[in-house]
Amino acid sequence: MVQQVDVLICGSGSAGLCAAAWLARTGINCKILERSSGPMQLGQADGVQCRTVEVFESFGLAEDLLKAAYHVLEVAFWSSDAEGNLVRTNRTADTMPGLSHQPHVILNQAHINGFLLHDMHRSNGQKVDYGYSVKNVQVDSTAAAQQDAYPVTVTTEKDGVEEVFNAKHVLGCDGAHSSVRRSLGYKMIGDSTDAVWGVMDVYPRTDFPDIRRKATLRSNSGNLLLKPREGGSLARFYIELPHGTDSKNVRLDDLHHAARQIFHPYTLDIADTFWWSAYSIGQRLADHFSKDNRVFLTGDACHTHSPKAGQGMNVSLQDGYNIGWKLAAVLKGRANTELLKTYNLEREKVAADLIDFDRSFTKLFSSKSSTTNGHGPEYFAQQFIKSGQYTAGLTAKYEDSMITSASLSRQELAKGLVIGMRFPSAQVVRFCDAKAMQLAKALPADSRWRVVVFGGNLQNRANAERLNKLAAFLSSSAGPVLRFTPANNDIDSFIEPILVLHGSRVQIELEQIPTYFWPVTGKWRMRDLHKTFVDDESYNSGHGHAYEKYGIDVDEGAVAVVRPDQYVSLVTGLDNHEAIGQFFAGFALRPVVAA
Ligand SMILES: Cc1cc2nc3c(=O)[nH]c(=O)nc-3n(C[C@H](O)[C@H](O)[C@H](O)COP(=O)(O)OP(=O)(O)OC[C@H]3O[C@@H](n4cnc5c(N)ncnc54)[C@H](O)[C@@H]3O)c2cc1C
C-alpha cells in the first residue's frame, strides 16, 4: 500500500535532523527514513562553528551543547626553525573577538545529532524510521504544479521488502552518495585533488605543551592540525600524507609514525586510537539543488569538500535550518510556495563559496604550496586568522528575493545590521526585570518574523511620536500584523514586535511604551512585558552598546525586519510604514477565513 506524507526526509544526518527539528517545533510531523539500523554512534565531524552554536541557541539547545563541548578559544602556530626544531611562532584568538557572542566548540557529531533527535521527539513525538533504504525518487512534474498534490514517489526497501510513499515534499539529506540525487539524474561537478590526509582521534601521551590547544604544526616532516576534543583526554590529528599516497593503502601505523615525526623533538606515545580514517580531498557541487520546487537536496548530497576546515556538518545543518522554516511556512499556509525557491538562491551560493574557501584553505595547508610559493610561517598565520570569519560561519549574505530586500531598505540607518546577513547579537537590558541578556535570545526559532524597532531615547519627543505612529500602524488593519495573522491567534504569533530603546532605563515608565509592544497574549490573556529592551548599563554585566554596534543613530532610530532564521530582511526608518507593509505583502498569505 502506498503511504501519503506531507514531508519525507531521506537520511537522518545533520541536514535531515535539523530540518526535522524545525518542522517538529511547528507541529508538522514528517516521515524520516534512515538506512542505518539506529542513530549514529560515532561521528566524523566535530567542529561546531559559532553560527551553528547560535542555531542551537535558537532551538534552546546551546546550554547542553556548550556544557558537553571543548571550547576553542585560542589557536597556536608551530613551525620548524632553521635548526629543524619545532617552535611556536604565533598564537591568536581562534575567533576574532566580537564576531559572535557564541564560541567555536568541538563535539562529536553523534552527540550533536542526539540533541536534535531528542528535541524533535520532545516537540511533537517525531521519530526516525530506521532500516529504510531509499532506492528511487521520481517527481510527476505536471502534478507538481498543483499545490495540494503529492507528486513525489519515493521507493524504499526495508528488510528486503519494497515500500512506496507519495509525498508533497522530499528532502534529499542522504549524504555524499545520495540516492535522491542519483534518481533525479543530477551530477556532482568538480575535482578531486591528489592530496591525501589522514585523521585520527587518539589518546596522546606527550610533552608537547599545546596538546590541549588547537594548533597547526608545519614541521620539516609534514603538516598536522591538532584539535583537542571534549572530555579532556582525546585529541584529533589531521595529517597530510606524502604526495602520491593512495588513501586505500594507508594504515593506522602510517598515521602514528607520521604524527611522531611531526611532533619531534617532543615525544608522542599514542595510548589508544578511538577512530581513524584516510581520505583524498575533492571539492564538488551538484549541478542542481532541487526539482520542481518539490524535492530539495541538502548537505553532502549537494556539496562535498575536505573535512579539515570543519565546515561540512555546519553547512549541512544550516541547509536543513534554511529549508525547515520555509517548508513549515508553506505547509501552514503562511507563505506562498514561491518561498521555497529562495532555498536554492540562498544555499547554492553558500555551497559555491564553501567549495572556493575549501580550495584555498586546502592549498594554504598543503606543504607543497608552502614550499613552492616561498611564504613563511607568518604568512600562514595571517591567512589562517583572515579565514576566521568564514570558518565561524558568519559570512553568508543572501541576495535580494521575496524575503530579503536591500532594494526597499535604508542600510545606512543601521550599518551593523547587514541586509541578507544574520542578525548579530548585542547585550541589552530587559525592561521588565532588569535582566542583562543577549538580544539573540529574543529571536528563538519558533517560525515567527520579528520587527525589531530601535526607537532611540524616549525622552526625545520626536522619537516618542515616531514610535507611537509606528505602533499605531503596526496594530492597525492597514498594517501587516493584522493582515497576516489569523483572527483567533495571538497578535504576535506571526510577526513579533521587539523594541530596543536607548538611554537610562530607570527614566522610562511602562506607560511611555506603546501597548503594541506589550500585547495581551497566551492562555491567561496577560500582558507580555518581555519584548522591550534598553541599551543601557546593567547591574552586573556592563553595557552592551547595542546602538553603537549596529551603527544606529539614537536620534533617528531604525527598524529591522528579521526572518525566522535570524537573517536581516529589511532595514528602514521608523516612519517608513509603507516599506514594512510592502515587504510582508511580497510573500505572506492572508489567513483563509472559514465560511
Ligand atoms: C573525517 C571527517 C571529519 C569531518 N570533520 C568535520 C568537522 O569537523 N566539521 C564539519 O562541519 N564537518 C566535518 N566533516 C563533514 C561532515 O561529516 C559532513 O559534511 C556532514 O556529516 C554532512 O551531513 P549530511 O546530513 O549532509 O550527511 P550525513 O551526515 O552523511 O548523513 C546522511 C544520512 O543519510 C543516510 N543515508 C544515506 N543513504 C541513504 C539512503 N539511500 N536511504 C536512507 N538513508 C540514507 C546515512 O546513513 C546518513 O545517516 C567531516 C567528515 C569527515 C569524513
Side-chain angles (χ1 to χ4, degrees), residues 273-389:
T273 303
F274 184 64
W275 174 82
W276 74 279
S277 177
Y279 56 90
S280 58
I281 294 169
Q283 287 105 358
R284 295 185 204 88
L285 209 54
D287 53 359
H288 301 282
F289 275 39
S290 68
K291 169 97 176 149
D292 295 331
N293 217 17
R294 294 291 190 158
V295 182
F296 300 89
L297 297 180
T298 65
D300 280 8
C302 50
H303 42 75
T304 61
H305 35 81
S306 78
K308 200 175 41 296
Q311 299 298 305
M313 172 179 67
N314 292 279
V315 177
S316 301
L317 277 161
Q318 287 161 36
D319 284 351
Y321 196 68
N322 187 289
I323 191 70
W325 76 265
K326 293 174 182 173
L327 263 183
V330 168
L331 287 166
K332 292 259 171 191
R334 313 314 310 271
N336 194 317
T337 50
E338 292 292 294
L339 173 66
L340 299 177
K341 290 191 176 154
T342 63
Y343 171 77
N344 281 29
L345 177 77
E346 296 177 349
R347 300 310 292 176
E348 274 187 23
K349 170 141 188 316
V350 167
D353 288 349
L354 170 62
I355 302 293
D356 287 347
F357 171 79
D358 193 41
R359 278 203 185 105
S360 58
F361 204 66
T362 300
K363 205 163 145 215
L364 178 68
F365 259 88
S366 93
S367 53
K368 204 172 138 202
S369 115
S370 65
T371 49
T372 51
N373 62 20
H375 292 304
E378 280 310 314
Y379 172 82
F380 177 79
Q382 274 166 19
Q383 295 303 309
F384 195 90
I385 294 164
K386 248 174 91 178
S387 46
Q389 190 174 4

Side-chain angles (χ1 to χ4, degrees), residues 82-101:
E83 283 77 47
N85 292 318
L86 193 61
V87 291
R88 191 195 291 118
T89 56
N90 206 338
R91 73 166 98 191
T92 182
D94 175 77
T95 307
M96 205 195 303
L99 271 186
S100 170
H101 65 294

Side-chain angles (χ1 to χ4, degrees), residues 5 26 53 56 67 77 84 104 141 148 163 189 304 314 325 367 464 500 509 514 557 567 585 594:
V5 291
T26 65
V53 182
F56 272 70
K67 198 167 148 200
F77 300 92
H104 167 202
S141 297
D148 291 332
E163 277 188 49
I189 312 283
T304 61
N314 292 279
W325 76 265
S367 53
V500 185
E509 290 301 334
Y567 278 75

Side-chain angles (χ1 to χ4, degrees), residues 9-17 33-36 38 40 43-49 52 106-107 109 113 129-136 156 172-180 182 198-200 227 236 238 275-279 298-317 319:
I9 298 181
C10 304
S12 67
S14 305
L17 289 177
L33 302 180
E34 166 58 49
R35 185 172 56 190
S36 309
M40 177 187 242
Q44 298 169 329
D46 58 0
V48 187
Q49 306 169 334
T52 301
I106 291 184
L107 187 65
Q109 191 170 11
N113 285 0
D129 286 305
Y130 293 102
Y132 279 87
S133 188
V134 172
K135 296 290 178 196
N136 193 21
T156 71
C173 310
D174 50 344
H177 305 288
S178 170
S179 302
V180 179
R182 246 180 294 126
V199 55
M200 55 181 176
K227 286 171 152 194
R236 173 167 289 191
Y238 288 99
W275 174 82
W276 74 279
S277 177
Y279 56 90
T298 65
D300 280 8
C302 50
H303 42 75
T304 61
H305 35 81
S306 78
K308 200 175 41 296
Q311 299 298 305
M313 172 179 67
N314 292 279
V315 177
S316 301
L317 277 161
D319 284 351

